Amino acid sequence: MAEASDAGETQLREMEEDAIMDGGMESDEEEGMGIENLEDEDESSEDERENEAEIQRLEEQLSINAFDYNCHVDLIKLLGQEGELLRLRKARQKMSELFPLTEEIWLDWLKDEIRLTEEEPNREKVYELFEKAAKDYICPEIWLEYAQYSIGGMGSPGGLERVRSIFERALTAVGLHMTKGATVWEAYREFENAILGTVQPPPGSVATQEQQERLKTQLQRIHTLFRRQLAVPLMDMDATYAEYEEWAEEGVPETVTQQYTKVLKHLEKNKPFEAALLVSEPPRLVEYQAYIDYELKEGDPARIQIIFERALAENCLVPDMWAKYTKYLDRQLRIKDIVLLSHDRAVRNCPWTMGLWRSYVLALERHGMDHVTISDMFEKALNAGFIQATDYVEIWQVYLDYLRRRVDFSKESSKELEELRAAFSRSLDYMKQDVEERFSESGDPSCTIMQTWARIEALHCKNMQKARELWDSIMTKGNAKYANMWLEYYNLERSCGDVLHCRKALHRAVQCTSDYPEHVCEVLLTFERIEGTLEDWDAAVLKTDTKLIRVNEQRAKAAEKETNQSQQEEDRSEQRRRNRAEKKGQKKGSHSRTGEKRKADRGDYQNDWEDDSGVAPKKHRGDSGPGFSRAAKEDSMETEAGLFGRGAPAGRGPEAPGAGNAARKPGDEDGPEPRDEKAIVFVSNLYYKLKDPEQRMRETFEPCGPIRQVRLVLSSNGTFRGYCYVQFEGQASVAEALKLDRREIDGRPLFVSPYNTDKGKNSDFKPFKYNASMEKHKIFVSGLPLSSTKEQLEDLFKENGTIKDIRMVTTFSGKFKGLAYVEFQDEAQASTAVMKMDGTVVEGRTISVAISNPPPRKRGEQPGSSRPPGAVARERPAPGSRGRGRTQISLLPRSLIKKTGSGNKAENGTATKPIDEPFSGAGNVSGSREALPKLSNSDFAKMLLKK
């Protein structure tokens, strides 16, 4: 092989020298052609210098990062343009060592090598190159080129058998390719037909017995090829069947026809998937996924393998596709050569994916490869350049598990045991030096590698002294504050140690634990109840009581601090809102016009609930109903059961308390009939495009009681806004309707709440029906896969105790957010679930489990809110005759407005307004007209003259 390589390089040098000599002769001839040709040479030489500089740059970049795929491709392209054959061959070889080459790169390389190795002794080198190309990807074009090239070597000994062997391997590899496999079958038949022409006797001669046998054998080969091809579902099978009918002198056998009919039915099932691939654009990942799922259900291993290979040829850089393929091969096919070759191709295509390296190492061990091979593969994995620090921890764990399985622990010492200990020590140094230097973190904050080492030393090697030293190192790395770490150590001491070290570990745990001290204290008391004396019990009780008192004091201080911070934040937000309102009022006041107030029309107080037209009533100048006030609508959005929400059409909102009735006289008889607001529920979060929403609401709430009216909220163009009001005949139906809260309609949770214009006046209103404080019998789970179901969570946590309820947190559209609350029978079961399940990996995602302690809700003093007891809720100003309009401008000159003194005190939670403070807007007219002295024009003049 080395001699062939040297011969090839010598031939390349000779070709380059010939090219140089030819170029010199051409240049001599061009000297006599004038100055124009010299200018062309200068331009050409300038391009060559630029290309050479770019080639050197790419080579330097590859010397720094050999895994730069695009850099390899650019370098090969430039060298091919320049005709640097030796450098081109080396560049292709370097890239092929790191990555599988694409079909185009392989075909170009093979064609170049075929042109350079015309002589027979060099054909073996091309054969080896073809073998290497066939392993990278399942490519019909490469196999066809391979077979065609082998036909040229039929003159050598065994050449015919070699050609047939290559064709058979090609059929095995790509013969099932539904769109391109037929070309290989046809090429094979054409080859055998050509052989048939050589074995037939010349016309007019009598064939000998040997010639007849050879002819019969060759005909049988062709018959067999036709039958084999017609048994495989391929595109354009009807043309192959027609060709067979024409070729076969005795006709097509009945068994072949039946098999052909059966295959056609199978082909019809595959055609939709092939059509989807045909009309879509590369890489067609979604279409291939659907095709693969179909073939997996069918269960034919050969067809599953070929569709995977077709998908990977276009999606070679998709790690999930490789992982799915190798997983299938490991579990179903289990053929050593195919499995290991596929794993090797996977890590060469996606070397940054730790999961592929892990599967490869396990596959090597599973198929009995030697220790040197597995160790070399692990070293390659370390140099692959993972993108996360945790990837290095996992690959080290895989290798350490492999080394542990090699050790015979019945022997006190062995070479394998020493190698395992050395590997553990090396892994810790590697994580501390290499990984931390690159990622600024070790990737193993819980020290899982050291925990594994300590358990092996304690359980298998009976070396508790070494195990305790390792656990001391674990605790000094910031893990002493976690209860689960101490309990792991305690369980190890309980299994392999003694009572003295168990007690010592628990006392240290009580002293150091900060996340779940109650659980650690309980474990210590339980231990002393079983193992300890009275003195030990007293010491444990004293230590645990002291710890819990200190913990409770710290929690109280933290809660007080959090409450103060929350209050301060609310105060700052309120102050900012006031400042914005003042600036806004001043800006509008400078552009406002004074004028005489018009009396509100009686029609403005028409009850919105009696208007069934679905169109907003006409708005007149001077209307004072709250349905025309934008501020009123914005305020109503603060609650889930608010009037109509932000952006509701004018005239749709029910009137605020006192806003419309303030202008009515007792003797009015044209006002709306009073309605029972306690018989109304507010329904929201409905699908905007819900078909016939009124009828759906009636069908949903009819079991709750007789419905008087369903009031839909529509936009200005008449489309449904996603919420409505349902009015029942009686108040008793409301309680039943509220039970339908969170019920799904068309995949979205339905929100049902009591109708209320002012939540602050209804103490029974609960905007958040779940407890917002700590619940020790309930756990909060985060990081769950979005495909999780309630049944899966119940199966996951039922081993820790009796589950009373599971609440999965969803979005408004009903999609699971990966968060859930699991309620257990008591606190002990919840604590056990936290200790055991926190950090568990579920479907590739690490979940977090903690005791339920939601953050405080920063809203008004409502059930479930975080406002401290005794805090005064902010009152909104009462609406005036114009409602809560946004144009509440001051009607006095700025020089006459007196600032409110800071000494004003609040009485019964409502701040009193100074007598001399002028009203600041139209909204305060009705509320403060009696309190302010009436001023005439002369009074204003006197006040101005004083200035």
Side-chain angles (χ1 to χ4, degrees):
M1 181 63 192
E3 294 177 358
S5 177
D6 294 340
E9 292 182 1
T10 303
Q11 186 175 0
L12 285 174
R13 292 192 184 94
E14 292 175 354
M15 292 180 65
E16 290 179 357
E17 291 174 358
D18 293 340
I20 294 172
M21 292 177 65
D22 293 340
M25 294 175 63
E26 292 175 358
S27 63
D28 291 339
E29 294 175 358
E30 291 174 352
E31 287 180 358
M33 297 178 64
I35 302 175
E36 294 180 358
N37 291 337
L38 293 177
E39 293 177 353
D40 294 338
E41 289 182 3
D42 293 339
E43 293 178 359
S44 176
S45 61
E46 181 66 24
D47 294 338
E48 291 178 359
R49 285 194 294 270
E50 292 178 358
N51 289 340
E52 181 62 28
E54 180 65 14
I55 290 173
Q56 292 180 359
R57 187 191 67 81
L58 292 173
E59 289 176 344
E60 292 177 359
Q61 186 172 346
L62 287 175
S63 64
I64 299 173
N65 181 16
F67 289 91
D68 192 335
Y69 184 89
N70 293 327
C71 190
H72 281 285
V73 175
D74 294 341
L75 178 60
I76 290 173
K77 183 177 180 181
L78 275 178
L79 290 175
Q81 294 175 357
E82 292 297 312
E84 297 281 350
L85 300 180
L86 282 176
R87 297 170 68 182
L88 178 60
R89 174 186 286 176
K90 291 180 180 179
R92 286 166 171 168
Q93 289 175 347
K94 288 182 179 179
M95 184 176 180
S96 65
E97 292 172 359
L98 299 175
F99 302 101
L101 304 186
T102 63
E103 175 186 343
E104 294 78 9
I105 296 177
W106 269 121
L107 289 175
D108 291 341
W109 190 1
L110 291 168
K111 291 176 182 178
D112 290 342
E113 294 294 339
I114 290 173
R115 287 197 300 267
L116 294 175
T117 55
E118 297 279 341
E119 299 178 2
E120 189 67 24
N122 295 326
R123 296 185 66 87
E124 290 300 325
K125 180 180 179 181
V126 181
Y127 282 132
E128 293 178 3
L129 200 60
F130 269 113
E131 291 291 337
K132 191 174 181 180
K135 292 180 180 179
D136 275 358
Y137 295 109
I138 304 300
C139 178
E141 287 79 3
I142 291 179
W143 277 107
L144 196 60
E145 190 73 22
Y146 190 9
Q148 295 290 348
Y149 179 74
S150 65
I151 293 175
M154 286 179 56
S156 61
L160 178 61
E161 296 303 324
R162 186 170 197 169
V163 173
R164 286 174 174 162
S165 173
I166 293 173
F167 267 118
E168 288 294 335
R169 291 173 57 199
L171 293 180
T172 303
V174 298
L176 296 179
H177 198 296
M178 190 163 290
T179 57
K180 298 181 180 180
T183 57
V184 181
W185 287 99
E186 293 170 0
Y188 196 2
R189 285 204 319 274
E190 290 177 3
F191 169 74
E192 293 295 348
N193 277 320
I195 299 298
L196 178 63
T198 62
V199 298
Q200 287 181 342
S205 62
V206 179
T208 63
Q209 184 69 24
E210 182 181 358
Q211 289 177 336
Q212 292 179 356
E213 289 295 332
R214 291 174 58 189
L215 179 61
K216 182 179 180 180
T217 302
Q218 188 63 25
L219 289 173
Q220 187 61 36
R221 281 198 182 97
I222 299 175
H223 274 289
T224 303
L225 282 176
F226 270 115
R227 294 171 184 174
R228 289 170 61 189
Q229 182 177 355
L230 292 174
V232 177
L234 300 172
M235 304 300 289
D236 299 330
M237 289 188 65
D238 50 353
T240 304
Y241 185 78
E243 183 182 352
Y244 189 26
E245 285 182 322
E246 182 181 354
W247 184 85
E249 296 178 355
E250 299 178 358
V252 180
E254 184 65 24
T255 56
V256 177
T257 303
Q258 294 176 356
Q259 180 68 25
Y260 169 70
T261 305
K262 183 178 179 181
V263 172
L264 282 179
K265 295 180 180 179
H266 189 283
L267 179 63
E268 291 299 322
K269 297 179 181 180
N270 291 75
K271 279 186 176 180
F273 298 100
E274 293 292 340
L277 292 174
L278 185 63
V279 300
S280 59
E281 296 182 357
R284 298 185 274 259
L285 181 60
V286 176
E287 289 78 12
Y288 275 121
Q289 289 281 13
Y291 206 165
I292 289 171
D293 293 338
Y294 165 74
E295 292 293 356
L296 287 173
K297 291 180 181 179
E298 293 294 317
D300 186 349
R303 298 209 59 81
I304 294 172
Q305 185 180 359
I306 191 64
I307 191 59
F308 264 119
E309 293 291 350
R310 289 176 61 184
L312 289 169
E314 297 186 24
N315 299 273
C316 59
L317 300 180
V318 180
D320 291 342
M321 182 68 73
W322 283 109
K324 190 174 183 179
Y325 183 34
T326 54
K327 183 179 180 180
Y328 169 78
L329 295 177
D330 287 334
R331 296 184 177 182
Q332 301 295 330
L333 206 57
R334 299 179 182 179
I335 299 176
K336 178 179 178 180
D337 294 338
I338 297 177
V339 170
L340 296 184
L341 177 60
S342 300
H343 277 290
D344 183 70
R345 293 162 55 207
V347 297
R348 290 174 62 204
N349 275 282
C350 306
W352 63 86
T353 307
M354 187 280 306
L356 298 178
W357 288 100
R358 175 179 56 197
S359 300
Y360 195 5
V361 173
L362 292 174
L364 290 172
E365 182 184 4
R366 191 178 296 116
H367 290 281
M369 300 302 292
D370 58 272
H371 176 60
V372 175
T373 302
I374 298 176
S375 299
D376 291 344
M377 192 56 57
F378 168 71
E379 296 296 335
K380 290 182 179 179
L382 288 182
N383 297 323
F386 298 142
I387 59 177
Q388 298 182 83
T390 54
D391 291 342
Y392 289 95
V393 178
E394 294 188 33
I395 197 65
W396 267 110
Q397 286 180 319
V398 171
Y399 184 60
L400 292 170
D401 292 343
Y402 157 71
L403 293 179
R404 195 268 306 166
R405 288 189 284 267
R406 296 179 65 243
V407 179
D408 183 5
F409 290 102
S410 61
K411 302 178 182 179
E412 293 185 1
S413 63
S414 62
K415 179 182 177 181
E416 290 79 7
L417 179 58
E418 295 302 323
E419 186 176 356
L420 174 62
R421 285 172 173 166
F424 269 114
S425 179
R426 182 194 168 196
S427 67
L428 298 180
D429 294 338
Y430 186 88
M431 301 304 298
K432 183 178 180 180
Q433 298 174 4
D434 298 63
V435 177
E436 285 189 9
E437 180 179 351
R438 179 180 175 186
F439 297 97
S440 300
E441 60 172 333
S442 66
D444 190 15
S446 300
C447 301
T448 54
I449 294 178
M450 294 182 69
Q451 289 187 44
T452 304
W453 190 3
R455 294 189 186 99
I456 291 175
E457 292 289 350
L459 295 174
H460 296 296
C461 302
K462 310 301 179 184
N463 188 356
M464 278 303 300
Q465 182 62 32
K466 180 64 176 179
R468 291 176 184 130
E469 292 176 0
L470 291 171
W471 272 104
D472 286 339
S473 300
I474 293 172
M475 294 305 180
T476 57
K477 294 183 180 296
N479 294 298
K481 59 183 178 181
Y482 300 118
N484 64 325
M485 302 298 291
W486 285 108
L487 294 182
E488 287 287 343
Y489 178 38
Y490 163 73
N491 291 331
L492 187 65
E493 287 285 358
R494 195 70 169 157
S495 301
C496 307
D498 50 44
V499 174
L500 179 62
H501 284 88
C502 288
R503 181 177 291 111
K504 183 178 179 181
L506 289 177
H507 276 270
R508 292 177 61 191
V510 171
Q511 182 179 354
C512 301
T513 299
S514 60
D515 53 352
Y516 298 104
E518 294 89 351
H519 188 68
V520 175
C521 293
E522 182 181 353
V523 174
L524 174 59
L525 294 176
T526 303
F527 171 77
E528 295 297 355
R529 184 176 286 112
I530 297 173
E531 300 287 349
T533 62
L534 179 60
E535 290 78 7
D536 296 331
W537 172 262
D538 291 339
V541 170
L542 177 61
K543 195 173 190 67
T544 55
D545 289 347
T546 304
K547 176 67 174 180
L548 294 178
I549 290 173
R550 186 168 64 252
V551 168
N552 291 332
E553 291 176 352
Q554 293 174 353
R555 289 176 178 173
K557 291 181 180 179
E560 182 180 0
K561 182 179 179 181
E562 184 177 357
T563 301
N564 293 336
Q565 291 177 349
S566 177
Q567 184 63 39
Q568 293 174 3
E569 181 62 28
E570 289 184 6
D571 294 342
R572 285 193 292 267
S573 299
E574 177 63 19
Q575 184 63 35
R576 287 194 295 268
R577 191 194 67 79
R578 289 177 180 175
N579 294 338
R580 287 196 298 268
E582 290 177 1
K583 292 180 180 179
K584 201 170 187 181
Q586 293 173 3
K587 183 177 180 180
K588 289 188 176 181
S590 62
H591 299 286
S592 64
R593 296 181 301 174
T594 60
E596 183 179 357
K597 293 182 178 294
R598 297 180 59 186
K599 294 183 179 180
D601 294 335
R602 180 175 298 176
D604 295 337
Y605 303 106
Q606 182 179 1
N607 192 336
D608 182 63
W609 281 85
E610 301 298 327
D611 180 14
D612 294 331
S613 63
V615 180
K618 186 175 181 180
K619 181 176 179 180
H620 301 282
R621 183 179 179 184
D623 288 341
S624 59
F628 300 100
S629 172
R630 185 180 298 178
K633 289 183 286 184
E634 291 179 352
D635 290 342
S636 66
M637 269 300 293
E638 291 188 5
T639 60
E640 180 181 285
L643 304 184
F644 283 89
R646 189 178 304 276
R652 287 292 170 196
E655 298 171 354
N661 296 330
R664 295 195 183 99
K665 296 180 180 179
D668 287 343
E669 296 179 357
D670 298 333
E673 296 181 2
R675 63 172 179 269
D676 188 2
E677 295 183 352
K678 294 185 178 180
I680 304 173
V681 295
F682 174 69
V683 184
S684 62
N685 201 42
L686 295 170
Y687 188 46
Y688 280 22
K689 298 182 180 179
L690 188 67
K691 294 183 179 179
D692 196 0
E694 181 175 354
Q695 182 62 26
R696 292 292 297 275
M697 292 298 98
R698 290 186 178 276
E699 294 175 357
T700 303
F701 289 98
E702 274 180 353
C704 304
I707 299 174
R708 181 178 180 184
Q709 184 182 10
V710 175
R711 184 66 176 174
L712 302 179
V713 180
L714 307 178
S715 63
S716 58
N717 58 3
T719 58
F720 183 45
R721 294 294 301 277
Y723 50 100
C724 65
Y725 293 86
V726 179
Q727 183 177 5
F728 295 95
E729 295 290 347
Q731 300 180 10
S733 302
V734 173
E736 296 298 323
L738 293 177
K739 295 179 181 179
L740 299 180
D741 186 34
R742 301 310 196 273
R743 177 179 178 179
E744 286 192 2
I745 292 184
D746 290 352
R748 290 174 68 96
L750 185 72
F751 294 166
V752 185
S753 56
Y755 170 78
N756 186 26
T757 57
D758 191 354
K759 295 183 181 181
K761 294 184 178 181
N762 187 357
S763 59
D764 296 332
F765 183 81
K766 294 183 178 181
F768 189 70
K769 67 179 184 179
Y770 302 107
N771 196 343
S773 60
M774 176 181 285
E775 297 177 278
K776 295 185 178 180
H777 65 287
K778 186 183 295 184
I779 62 174
F780 173 68
V781 188
S782 61
L784 290 166
L786 300 182
S787 60
S788 301
T789 62
K790 195 171 183 179
E791 292 75 16
Q792 292 175 343
L793 293 183
E794 186 175 359
D795 294 338
L796 184 63
F797 289 96
K798 65 182 181 181
E799 298 180 356
N800 303 301
T802 304
I803 297 177
K804 295 178 63 178
D805 184 35
I806 295 177
R807 178 166 66 92
M808 305 181 71
V809 183
T810 61
T811 61
F812 285 166
S813 61
K815 295 182 180 179
F816 182 47
K817 297 175 67 176
L819 310 174
Y821 291 89
V822 182
E823 183 178 358
F824 286 92
Q825 191 73 28
D826 51 37
E827 299 178 9
Q829 295 177 358
S831 299
T832 302
V834 172
M835 300 302 299
K836 291 184 178 180
M837 304 302 296
D838 187 30
T840 303
V841 178
V842 178
E843 296 183 10
R845 301 186 63 174
T846 303
I847 64 173
S848 298
V849 185
I851 296 296
S852 176
N853 186 18
R857 298 175 62 82
K858 297 182 179 180
R859 297 176 64 176
E861 188 175 358
Q862 297 172 352
S865 70
S866 61
R867 184 179 296 277
V872 179
R874 176 174 60 87
E875 289 250 333
R876 291 190 177 88
S881 60
R882 291 180 60 88
R884 294 186 178 94
R886 298 184 63 182
T887 59
Q888 298 177 359
I889 60 175
S890 174
L891 300 181
L892 288 181
R894 297 179 184 177
S895 60
L896 300 181
I897 299 177
K898 295 183 178 180
K899 297 181 179 179
T900 304
S902 60
N904 296 334
K905 296 182 179 179
E907 183 177 353
N908 295 331
T910 304
T912 59
K913 200 174 189 68
I915 298 298
D916 58 349
E917 181 181 352
F919 54 90
S920 60
N924 296 332
V925 171
S926 63
S928 61
R929 184 165 291 177
E930 296 178 0
L932 292 174
K934 295 183 178 179
L935 302 177
S936 63
N937 290 339
S938 60
D939 294 330
F940 279 100
K942 291 178 182 179
M943 296 173 68
L944 288 171
L945 291 175
K946 289 181 181 180
K947 288 289 184 181

